[in-house]
Amino acid sequence: MFLQRAWRQVAFGVYGFTQFTKSGFQEHSKKFKAEDMQVQLEGKNCLVTGGNSGIGFAAAEGLASHGATVYIVCRNKEKGEAALSKIQSTTGNKNIHLEICDLSSISEVKSFASRFSSENKPLHVLVNNAGLLEHNRVTTPEGLELNFAVNVAATFAMTELMRPLLEKAAPDARVITVSSGGMYMAPLSTDLQYSEPKFDGMTQYVRNKRIQVALTEKWSQIYDDKGIGFYSMHPGWAQTPGVAKSLPTFSDKLSGMLRTSEEGADTVVWLALQPKEKLISGALYFDRAEAPKHLALAGTSSSHSLIDAIVDNLRSICTLPSSTEAPANQ
């Protein structure tokens, strides 16, 4: 296991430096098709979690520039209002709305989902972008480890609770979950809240990001007849406020080599614009193309068999009904 873990780190480092940096984006963009981004989204409702900064802000701005009605979800009202104003100003799109919700709280996610659903509007695009890397063990008032609460529990609850609105937008509805290339370093684990005595926030974060990829795969199977497409993506290594705060050494050492937030968010916007027949539900995307979910010889692929047990655990933690029952916005 030690050798396998060491191999994953080496393989990830090499893969990352050649693919995830700004130069990787510039190389991959040579294959991009301009016509892919000429689609307009007028009349379509898009919800972006963590839409006030970084990848989320760039994604929200990108969707708004294509005419979508965009709802940005964030915790801080002041920062959210500043982001909303900036998006309206830069895109000329006034159909931008701010929703306040602390995604570390499942009860707040439920309250938000109930409030948002009460208007009964179809939801065409849900972007699960909000993420967190907290290096110290922090427990939320609901008893959840903080990274897990934001990265996994909130993503799961938000997606499940928004399903009725997504179904209203079928067959064009889609869920796009922003993972991280760091997930290549971790197999799936059923130890959702990191029970090991010496807490490692980075390990927990990459495990969370692996769960997001496996969840996307599972959702595509469970809801394959609901007219919803499920896609995970990773943005590469981008210079964002979150990276600067959580990984200052990494951010400093790779200064000038990291992608912009817009380059990191490019595939989110691309996934929202493409006709669904062009996309593969359950797949992982990177730089406008399907990407592998596992590195060669990394020993992570067999771990995805654990996803059923994880989903059952998540439903219990979030007190949500099974997939065969109608979601209840509590």
Side-chain angles (χ1 to χ4, degrees), residues 127-275:
V127 181
N128 290 313
N129 162 77
L132 177 76
L133 198 178
E134 171 56 56
H135 291 282
N136 301 310
R137 185 188 291 277
V138 177
T139 302
T140 71
E142 295 174 340
L144 303 180
E145 188 280 315
L146 183 58
N147 291 289
F148 163 78
V150 175
N151 300 329
V152 178
T155 293
F156 181 78
M158 185 71 76
T159 303
E160 292 287 335
L161 293 170
M162 288 295 164
R163 181 161 59 88
L165 300 185
L166 288 160
E167 289 183 21
K168 282 183 174 294
D172 200 34
R174 58 199 72 190
V175 176
I176 302 165
T177 299
V178 179
S179 184
S180 164
M183 65 92 195
Y184 284 116
M185 294 196 294
L188 209 57
S189 170
T190 56
D191 183 12
L192 301 183
Q193 301 200 61
Y194 207 99
S195 63
E196 297 165 42
K198 189 176 180 181
F199 185 75
D200 185 327
M202 175 58 81
T203 298
Q204 176 69 330
Y205 176 80
V206 299
R207 287 178 180 176
N208 290 172
K209 292 299 175 177
R210 168 62 69 185
I211 291 175
Q212 290 178 337
V213 172
L215 265 180
T216 297
E217 202 171 66
K218 186 63 181 177
W219 276 324
S220 73
Q221 297 166 7
I222 298 173
Y223 303 127
D224 65 341
D225 61 342
K226 301 297 185 182
I228 308 169
F230 293 89
Y231 317 101
S232 57
M233 63 78 64
H234 74 91
W237 292 344
Q239 185 66 67
T240 67
V243 169
K245 178 182 177 182
S246 301
L247 299 169
T249 303
F250 173 84
S251 182
D252 290 344
K253 283 187 175 180
L254 270 69
S255 179
M257 297 174 63
L258 299 178
R259 300 170 177 220
T260 65
S261 294
E262 290 72 25
E263 289 167 344
D266 176 80
T267 296
V268 175
V269 180
W270 180 84
L271 283 166
L273 297 179
Q274 301 318 294

Side-chain angles (χ1 to χ4, degrees), residues 9-231:
Q9 291 176 339
V10 171
F12 172 72
V14 172
Y15 189 44
F17 274 105
T18 57
Q19 305 293 317
F20 299 171
T21 54
K22 178 179 281 290
S23 61
F25 181 83
Q26 291 169 342
E27 184 61 31
H28 300 156
S29 67
K30 294 175 182 177
K31 297 180 180 179
F32 291 176
K33 297 177 180 178
E35 58 267 27
D36 284 356
M37 307 302 276
Q38 291 171 359
V39 179
Q40 290 301 302
L41 296 172
E42 284 95 348
K44 293 192 175 181
N45 299 313
C46 303
L47 190 152
V48 182
T49 65
N52 61 295
S53 69
I55 302 296
F57 176 84
E61 187 177 49
L63 294 169
S65 71
H66 288 270
T69 297
V70 181
Y71 299 84
I72 58 175
V73 181
C74 64
R75 181 180 58 181
N76 186 293
K77 184 179 179 181
E78 186 178 334
K79 291 180 179 179
E81 288 175 342
L84 182 149
S85 178
K86 187 175 180 182
I87 292 172
Q88 288 180 331
S89 175
T90 56
T91 65
N93 184 343
K94 300 303 180 185
N95 293 319
I96 316 299
H97 307 277
L98 175 63
E99 302 286 349
I100 304 299
C101 177
D102 181 353
L103 292 164
S104 70
S105 166
I106 300 306
S107 63
E108 279 209 32
V109 172
K110 289 179 175 180
S111 294
F112 161 72
S114 178
R115 187 171 69 249
F116 189 83
S117 299
S118 67
E119 297 184 33
N120 217 24
K121 293 174 293 203
L123 181 60
H124 299 83
V125 181
L126 168 61
V127 181
N128 290 313
N129 162 77
L132 177 76
L133 198 178
E134 171 56 56
H135 291 282
N136 301 310
R137 185 188 291 277
V138 177
T139 302
T140 71
E142 295 174 340
L144 303 180
E145 188 280 315
L146 183 58
N147 291 289
F148 163 78
V150 175
N151 300 329
V152 178
T155 293
F156 181 78
M158 185 71 76
T159 303
E160 292 287 335
L161 293 170
M162 288 295 164
R163 181 161 59 88
L165 300 185
L166 288 160
E167 289 183 21
K168 282 183 174 294
D172 200 34
R174 58 199 72 190
V175 176
I176 302 165
T177 299
V178 179
S179 184
S180 164
M183 65 92 195
Y184 284 116
M185 294 196 294
L188 209 57
S189 170
T190 56
D191 183 12
L192 301 183
Q193 301 200 61
Y194 207 99
S195 63
E196 297 165 42
K198 189 176 180 181
F199 185 75
D200 185 327
M202 175 58 81
T203 298
Q204 176 69 330
Y205 176 80
V206 299
R207 287 178 180 176
N208 290 172
K209 292 299 175 177
R210 168 62 69 185
I211 291 175
Q212 290 178 337
V213 172
L215 265 180
T216 297
E217 202 171 66
K218 186 63 181 177
W219 276 324
S220 73
Q221 297 166 7
I222 298 173
Y223 303 127
D224 65 341
D225 61 342
K226 301 297 185 182
I228 308 169
F230 293 89
Y231 317 101

